[in-house]
Amino acid sequence: MKSIYLDHNATTPIDPRVIEAMERCFRETTANAGSQHSAGRQAKRALEDAREEIISVLRGDPAHDRLILTSGGTEANNLAILGMGPESRRGRILVSAIEHPSTLATADELERQGWQVDHIPASESGAIDLEKLRTLLEQSPRPRLVSVMAANNETGVIQPLEKVVELSHAAGVPVHSDAVQVVGKMPFEFGRSGVDAISFTAHKFHGPAGIGGLLVREQTQVQPILFGGSQQLGKRPGTEPVALVVGMMTALNLWNEEADQRESGMRQSRDHLEDLLLQDSTAVVNGQGERLPHTLNLSFLGLDRQAMLMALDMAGVACSTGSACASGSSEPSHVLEAMGLETGRIESSLRLSLGATSSLAEIDEAAKRILKTVKHLRQSETAPNSPSEPREKRRKSL
Ligand SMILES: Cc1ncc(COP(=O)(O)O)c(C=O)c1O
C-alpha cells in the first residue's frame, strides 16, 4: 500500500529540479564565498545573485532590503525576537499567542531574562484579536517589537497583517512576521506588506532543509545573536552555504513560475478533502475565514488525536496533530487552546496539509482511508470490551 503524505506543513519533499541545481552548484562552486581569490569571488557572485533573486521574487527591493540568510525558520524567528527593533527600547515585546514554538519559546527566554512579554490573544476563528493588540500598544513601556505570523501553521488561518502593521506603526513599533507557511505557497509582496521583516524557510516550499532567511527593510535595526566572522555584515556570521541558497532560490523561482496552478490546485484538493471528511457527522473544521490553500485542521469529536494519528499511519496516511516541533510529545495544541476551543475538540484534532504534488486521486484515496479509520476507531471505542481506563492512560499505552 502506497502511503499518502499529507504533512506538508511539517516539510515538503524536495523538487528534483532543485536537487539538479544544487548538484551543479556543489560541483562548480568549490571555494568559500568569503575568500578573496577568483574561485572565492565566483562563489560570492553565485551567492549574491541568488540573494537578489530571492528578494525580487518576494517583491522586495534588492537595492535596499537585506536578506539575512539563516539555517531556517527557527533561527530567523530567534534572530527577529532577540535582535530586532531599537536597541534603546529593550524590556517589552508583543507576540501573538498562536505563534510557532520557535517564536514563543524565544519570547519565553526573554521573559526569563526579566522582559515583559505580552501575548496577543486569538479569537475562536483563529485570527488574532486586533482590539487587544490596540490596547496592548497603548500600554507602556512602548514595546521593542510586535511579532504576528502571516498565517498559522496549524489551522492555516491567514492573519490580518495589514491591520497589525497599521496599528503597530501608528504606535511607532516595528513588526516582524513569521511568513514560513506563506512564502512559496501564496504570493507575498514584502514591499507592499509594510512589515519590517519576515521569516521564511526553503523546506516548506520543496527546497532543501537547513536554509532560510530573515528579509529585513533597510532602516530596521537587527542585533546579531551569533558572533564570529564578518559574513553578512556581521549580522549572521558563518560560511554561507552557497548550494543551499541556490537550492532555495530555485525552489522559490519554480513556485513563482507555477504559483497560480499550484495555489488553485491545492485549494481545490483541500476543499475536496474537507467536503469528503465532513460527511462524517462528528467532523468539525477548526479555523474560519481566509485560510492557506493547503491546510485543513479538523476534529473528529469523541476520538483521541494520538490514537487517530497512529491508526492513520498504519492505514497509509501521514499527517500530524499539530506543529512538527511539538509532536513527539502529546501536548495539546497551544493554538487551538488559544482559540478557546473546548478540550474535547482539541483532543480530537488532526492537521492535514497538502503540497504542490498532491493529486485529486490521492485525496480521494486519503479521504476513504481516513473515514474508514475513524469509523473503525469509533466502533472499537464503543465496543463492550473497549479499554475502560481514562483517555490519558490509554494514550500512554499506544
Ligand atoms: C510557522 C512556522 N514557523 C517556523 C517554523 C520553523 O522552521 P524551520 O523548520 O525551518 O526551523 C515552522 C516549521 O514548522 C513553521 O511552520
Side-chain angles (χ1 to χ4, degrees):
M1 178 179 49
K2 192 168 169 278
S3 180
I4 300 170
Y5 186 73
L6 291 180
D7 197 17
H8 290 83
N9 283 16
T11 199
T12 53
I14 192 162
D15 189 309
R17 295 167 289 183
V18 172
I19 298 176
E20 265 173 45
M22 285 173 62
E23 256 184 356
R24 209 174 315 118
C25 184
F26 273 126
R27 264 196 307 271
E28 292 170 4
T29 313
T30 49
N32 188 317
S35 296
Q36 289 179 8
H37 44 67
S38 54
R41 291 201 305 277
Q42 185 218 326
K44 180 86 175 164
R45 221 167 12 252
L47 177 72
E48 294 310 322
D49 288 350
R51 196 195 294 271
E52 263 188 36
E53 214 159 310
I54 291 166
I55 299 174
S56 298
V57 175
L58 296 176
R59 307 287 184 267
D61 174 1
H64 296 102
D65 298 333
R66 288 172 293 151
L67 172 55
I68 305 174
L69 297 162
T70 64
S71 60
T74 298
E75 190 191 325
N77 285 343
N78 271 255
L79 180 56
I81 299 299
L82 298 176
M84 227 185 111
E87 256 297 85
S88 56
R89 230 189 278 156
R90 297 174 68 79
R92 183 170 177 235
I93 193 166
L94 306 187
V95 296
S96 94
I98 56 168
E99 295 299 306
H100 186 265
S102 55
T103 296
L104 290 176
T106 312
D108 287 350
E109 179 53 33
L110 285 179
E111 205 164 28
R112 273 191 291 275
Q113 292 173 19
W115 285 55
Q116 180 183 339
V117 177
D118 288 315
H119 293 94
I120 310 156
S123 67
E124 197 184 332
S125 70
I128 65 147
D129 182 337
L130 287 167
E131 272 317 302
K132 194 69 198 181
L133 170 62
R134 193 194 300 273
T135 310
L136 287 169
L137 282 166
E138 281 165 3
Q139 293 167 3
S140 50
R142 187 145 51 128
R144 180 171 57 81
L145 185 71
V146 166
S147 185
V148 173
M149 63 202 329
N152 184 263
N153 50 303
E154 294 192 28
T155 60
V157 174
I158 294 174
Q159 300 301 313
L161 211 49
E162 219 174 288
K163 211 68 199 142
V164 170
V165 170
E166 190 187 310
L167 292 172
S168 306
H169 283 183
V173 182
V175 176
H176 161 254
S177 185
D178 174 349
V180 159
Q181 292 294 346
V182 171
V183 167
K185 304 274 176 55
M186 290 182 79
F188 190 89
E189 305 213 357
F190 181 67
R192 289 176 58 182
S193 71
V195 289
D196 301 277
I198 55 166
S199 302
F200 60 98
T201 185
H203 74 100
K204 305 288 185 182
F205 49 87
H206 303 277
I211 185 74
L214 185 70
L215 179 57
V216 187
R217 226 170 271 286
E218 189 178 24
Q219 310 297 340
T220 307
Q221 295 175 46
V222 182
Q223 307 304 323
I225 57 170
L226 297 177
F227 300 89
S230 58
Q231 295 97 339
Q232 306 205 65
L233 304 171
K235 297 295 181 198
R236 202 289 191 176
T239 301
E240 295 97 338
V242 182
L244 288 178
V245 183
V246 165
M248 177 156 75
M249 171 198 74
T250 308
L252 208 49
N253 273 334
L254 286 168
W255 164 77
N256 197 30
E257 284 161 22
E258 302 166 3
D260 290 346
Q261 298 124 271
R262 283 198 199 182
E263 191 183 335
S264 60
M266 288 193 296
R267 193 179 296 282
Q268 194 190 358
S269 299
R270 191 275 313 271
D271 289 349
H272 184 56
L273 181 62
E274 185 172 313
D275 288 346
L276 292 172
L277 295 182
L278 286 177
Q279 285 172 9
D280 184 284
S281 61
T282 67
V284 49
V285 175
N286 301 316
Q288 293 145 27
E290 221 191 321
R291 282 178 299 156
L292 290 167
H294 57 284
T295 306
L296 174 59
N297 190 309
L298 79 180
S299 299
F300 288 97
L301 301 173
L303 293 183
D304 180 275
R305 63 199 163 86
Q306 291 291 113
M308 276 192 286
L309 187 74
M310 291 193 171
L312 284 172
D313 192 30
M314 305 250 297
V317 178
C319 59
S320 87
T321 60
S323 158
C325 303
S327 58
S329 67
S330 58
E331 290 295 305
S333 158
H334 71 281
V335 174
L336 302 187
E337 280 183 341
M339 287 160 60
L341 302 188
E342 59 197 33
T343 311
R345 192 156 159 187
I346 299 171
E347 282 300 333
S348 59
S349 67
L350 278 184
R351 179 184 72 179
L352 303 158
S353 50
L354 289 67
T357 52
S358 303
S359 68
L360 269 177
E362 250 184 350
I363 294 303
D364 277 330
E365 180 56 29
K368 249 188 242 160
R369 292 181 194 178
I370 296 169
L371 289 171
K372 192 171 162 194
T373 304
V374 164
K375 196 170 159 200
H376 181 76
L377 282 173
R378 193 167 300 118
Q379 279 165 353
S380 58
E381 288 228 339
T382 53
N385 59 350
S386 68
S388 54
E389 309 99 292
R391 173 166 291 165
E392 196 55 36
K393 222 166 159 198
R394 261 184 282 154
R395 196 189 306 139
K396 285 196 184 112
S397 65
L398 283 166

